[in-house]
Amino acid sequence: MDRKKLITEIRRKKSFLCVGLDTDIRKIPEHLLKTEDPIFEFNKQIIDATKDYCVAYKPNIAFYEAHGPKGWVSLKKTIDYIPKDHFTIADAKRGDIGNTSGLYARAFFEEMDFDSITVAPYMGKDSVTPFLEFEGRWVILLGLTSNPGADDFQQLELKSGEKVYHKVIERSSAWGNEDNMMYVVGATRAEALTDIRKIIPDNFLLIPGVGAQGGSLKDVIKYGMNDDVGLLVNSTRGVIYADSSESFAEAAKAEAKKIQNEMAAFL
Amino acid sequence: MDRKKLITEIRRKKSFLCVGLDTDIRKIPEHLLKTEDPIFEFNKQIIDATKDYCVAYKPNIAFYEAHGPKGWVSLKKTIDYIPKDHFTIADAKRGDIGNTSGLYARAFFEEMDFDSITVAPYMGKDSVTPFLEFEGRWVILLGLTSNPGADDFQQLELKSGEKVYHKVIERSSAWGNEDNMMYVVGATRAEALTDIRKIIPDNFLLIPGVGAQGGSLKDVIKYGMNDDVGLLVNSTRGVIYADSSESFAEAAKAEAKKIQNEMAAFL
């Protein structure tokens, strides 16, 4: 999905909600465990229930990889099931030397048909650019993450006075453009959004950590929104685990609708 | 495999060679393509041919993931086939927020039974420590990589005067110890090994980039070896693609033996 289409979908639905499909077999309702593929069955019902209120889905690949080959089957069925007017994110945080990143790109863009993949920046340019060679696909680079460990290296101060994450965003933004690169910026760091918007006014930002991880939607909008909205705000646990009974999908729907309503007020 | 056993194997075989199993379907001998699982068949013959000359195997996960579910089957068969007196490395370069890293750990340490996994440091402590909770398993953290992109962020100078990779190694070394943490240090940076050994005199280093990527084994030994050897030197292309004919395994054996011979002179 290209940028124009993504913006159109956001305006049409009055939503920039991304639903995280971190589907944990230990957390899904018990009655689904009897089905042939409980993870896919859960995802299918969550997608049916939430698709009118969100513009993107983001499976975290670890939750599928943890099940070995059959986890990959569940993931493939999930990505094939997501309606084509939704932006899809493989939350994989991959990154390796050039030819190897190219293989990860093939895995997620060709075998799996994801629109985008999250990528870790530590190995630098030649670990990122192979993902950018796929027309119409996106890299979502880790900028400033929302976990406590973000302070360990991302927030270190460089000799130049910038933080490490500033330099990561600034330097990497020259490798692509606003049509093929987004950045992960944790919502628990809303105050940092102002600085980041000075470096990359136009790129979309993927914001995890609203809700369960403690970030405020209002702050994210205040400091991060641009003229094209420029935001995808992710919610996972608050939506998909809103209820653990047989009516989990209805609860997920209500929660997604609630977030979409909050977002609509700003669009 | 624990540290003591690894050192014993290194001394016994007079080798600290790790063979990279980056098995590319486009590069393996044509006659294998007719077999049921060409990637596993190739690996099996490479393992049979090289096992006496190396102490470790390192499949790069991208090469398997690129094939979707069936790639994971090939990987599982490969890890199950590697003799138990060899140290195994999942070259996956994973790293995510805490609970998610825990799932990656389960995937590679329980589903797949790898001894170790390579991990990217950008997300900090809580993305690394979940891997350390598995008794007898190892994290191999990216320190200074051998690709050109290593200059983009790893080599940035901090206000404190250190490079980013110094700080990554120094800070992370407190999260584990020499029994459960190793570091990736590219052999193209042998001169940096002296600095790194000041920070972590005792940890094992995984050195990629000897041979095809241009590093010198002699320099690596000179600047990186410690009293327990403390080195695993990886070779991939030079060994597994030494020959593309039906006698590829014999060629791989000769190449592995040659490297082992060079190593033996220093042990």
Side-chain angles (χ1 to χ4, degrees), chain B residues 195-226:
Chain B
D195 287 345
I196 290 172
R197 276 298 181 212
K198 285 182 197 153
I199 311 172
I200 42 164
D202 298 323
N203 294 72
F204 263 83
L205 307 179
L206 171 64
I207 316 269
V210 169
Q213 289 177 53
S216 143
L217 181 63
K218 209 173 140 188
D219 280 354
V220 166
I221 290 167
K222 183 173 171 189
Y223 299 111
M225 192 177 273
N226 65 18

Side-chain angles (χ1 to χ4, degrees), chain A:
Chain A
M1 182 182 293
D2 67 17
R3 183 185 167 92
K4 198 179 153 195
K5 170 79 173 158
L6 177 59
I7 297 168
T8 303
E9 286 301 311
I10 290 171
R11 299 273 184 215
R12 185 173 73 81
K13 286 181 172 166
K14 295 190 192 308
S15 170
F16 44 95
L17 173 62
C18 172
V19 172
L21 297 172
D22 300 6
T23 307
D24 188 335
I25 194 87
R26 298 163 300 187
K27 285 189 190 166
I28 69 180
E30 218 184 312
H31 72 286
L32 293 180
L33 299 179
K34 289 169 288 187
T35 61
E36 195 195 321
D37 184 344
I39 288 179
F40 173 62
E41 189 57 38
F42 179 84
N43 289 350
K44 184 171 169 292
Q45 293 193 38
I46 290 285
I47 293 163
D48 288 343
T50 58
K51 65 184 175 188
D52 293 340
Y53 309 105
C54 70
V55 292
Y57 288 103
K58 179 177 75 66
N60 186 307
I61 305 307
F63 289 80
Y64 301 85
E65 205 164 275
H67 298 283
K70 73 175 192 294
W72 286 85
V73 173
S74 306
L75 179 63
K76 179 87 169 80
K77 282 155 76 179
T78 300
I79 185 75
D80 290 346
Y81 189 77
I82 295 172
K84 289 294 166 219
D85 55 358
H86 288 72
F87 188 77
T88 53
I89 302 166
D91 194 2
K93 303 184 177 76
R94 298 296 193 263
D96 207 315
I97 58 170
N99 57 349
T100 310
S101 272
L103 284 168
Y104 280 126
R106 264 180 61 196
F108 289 102
F109 295 157
E110 292 184 350
E111 284 278 324
M112 289 282 179
D113 201 22
F114 277 97
D115 290 312
S116 66
I117 182 172
T118 57
V119 174
Y122 193 69
M123 296 183 76
K125 182 175 181 178
D126 59 311
S127 71
V128 175
T129 50
F131 293 100
L132 296 172
E133 286 164 16
F134 288 71
E135 182 71 25
R137 310 285 167 159
W138 299 70
V139 161
I140 307 182
L141 199 71
L142 301 185
L144 181 60
T145 58
S146 58
N147 62 316
D151 292 343
D152 288 322
F153 308 126
Q154 298 167 29
Q155 296 272 10
L156 290 175
E157 193 173 342
L158 295 169
K159 200 180 172 187
S160 60
E162 301 160 289
K163 302 276 179 77
V164 166
Y165 78 87
H166 289 149
K167 187 56 109 182
V168 164
I169 293 173
E170 184 206 327
R171 189 162 280 183
S172 64
S173 66
W175 304 337
N177 54 53
E178 66 266 26
D179 293 316
N180 62 10
M181 280 193 86
M182 301 187 184
Y183 289 86
V184 173
V185 180
T188 50
R189 319 264 172 177
E191 75 290 356
L193 282 167
T194 309
D195 287 345
I196 290 172
R197 275 297 182 212
K198 284 182 198 153
I199 310 172
I200 42 163
D202 299 323
N203 294 71
F204 262 83
L205 307 179
L206 172 64
I207 317 269
V210 169
Q213 290 178 53
S216 143
L217 180 63
K218 208 173 139 186
D219 281 353
V220 166
I221 290 166
K222 184 174 169 187
Y223 299 111
M225 192 178 274
N226 65 18
D227 291 346
D228 290 325
V229 184
L231 297 172
L232 290 173
V233 166
N234 183 75
S235 181
T236 300
R237 283 168 280 175
V239 172
I240 72 172
Y241 300 129
D243 185 289
S244 60
S245 74
E246 295 202 10
S247 52
F248 73 97
E250 283 161 57
K253 180 178 185 165
E255 195 56 38
K257 192 174 177 178
K258 193 179 126 201
I259 301 173
Q260 181 270 325
N261 259 322
E262 287 177 50
M263 290 174 168
F266 297 94
L267 293 178

